[in-house]
Amino acid sequence: MNRTTKRFALAAGVGAAAAMLTACQSMATSPPRPPLELAASVDIPRFMGDWYVIAVIPTFIEKDVFGSKENYRLETDGTIATTFTFHAGAADGPLREYRSKGFVLDPSGAVWGQQYIWPIKADYRISYVSPDYGQTVITREKRDYVWIMARTPTIAAADLDRLIGIAVRQGYDASKIVRVPQPG
């Protein structure tokens, strides 16, 4: 090995060791989170259709959106065609659309992978779905994003408070959850 290659290898090794120590230290200092509570059983065909996003801890594409909605369609191969639409910047802003594919990963139907870019599947967990399939709370194991959705564009304040409470009991920070403006 020449001198430059040795220096590069040493720097890479030191960097990797530092990253591992930092990860171990953060795991040791942060309290373990309880596992997410999930819906006991999700009737996948019944879950399909339109869901209005009522409140969210937004991903980077969900900042400053209006009228956001998810649509799920069960395909013959068992995957779930997902279409996310919203108006960007204002209620009458340009309509944007993103498509992904869902994969049910658990017999209960509550754990999915959402694939936006092959081969990566994002974590998607149905923590709550109301008995009438009118409201749902979608969580992630990292507790970084949450989606509170309903079949209607608006819900009663008491319902929203109850659904936010479900997210908070799962370890989410209520102060990060924002309402999504919906029509009507």
Side-chain angles (χ1 to χ4, degrees):
M1 262 194 271
N2 68 33
R3 192 174 194 156
T4 303
T5 305
K6 286 181 184 178
R7 284 184 183 167
F8 178 76
L10 178 62
V14 169
M20 287 180 3
L21 285 172
T22 301
C24 290
Q25 182 182 13
S26 72
M27 283 191 285
T29 59
S30 52
R33 291 189 264 197
L36 286 171
E37 293 177 27
L38 300 175
S41 177
V42 177
D43 181 341
I44 296 297
R46 194 168 174 202
F47 196 82
M48 299 297 98
D50 288 339
W51 288 94
Y52 294 88
V53 182
I54 304 300
V56 63
I57 295 178
T59 65
F60 72 96
I61 65 169
E62 293 174 293
K63 295 183 192 277
D64 202 26
V65 302
F66 294 78
S68 60
K69 182 171 58 171
E70 287 268 326
N71 175 273
Y72 304 109
R73 187 182 73 242
L74 187 59
E75 302 285 29
T76 56
D77 65 358
T79 62
I80 299 164
T82 305
T83 305
F84 176 60
T85 57
F86 61 89
H87 290 276
D92 60 352
L95 185 65
R96 301 276 192 250
E97 180 178 290
Y98 292 89
R99 294 180 183 271
S100 63
K101 185 184 288 193
F103 299 84
V104 178
L105 301 176
D106 182 84
S108 72
V111 179
W112 298 10
Q114 277 290 3
Q115 189 172 67
Y116 298 91
I117 300 170
W118 185 86
I120 300 165
K121 290 181 185 161
D123 184 35
Y124 181 102
R125 295 169 187 262
I126 303 169
S127 283
Y128 172 80
V129 62
S130 61
D132 67 353
Y133 280 68
Q135 298 174 348
T136 190
V137 177
I138 307 301
T139 58
R140 287 172 35 93
E141 195 65 41
K142 288 183 178 180
R143 289 152 173 104
D144 49 357
Y145 306 116
V146 67
W147 296 267
I148 295 171
M149 301 189 294
R151 298 293 188 171
T152 57
T154 59
I155 62 173
D159 286 345
L160 179 58
D161 289 345
R162 181 178 48 79
L163 297 170
I164 289 172
I166 290 169
V168 168
R169 285 191 300 279
Q170 298 279 27
Y172 284 91
D173 180 349
S175 70
K176 294 181 179 180
I177 300 173
V178 297
R179 293 281 315 245
V180 175
Q182 290 286 350

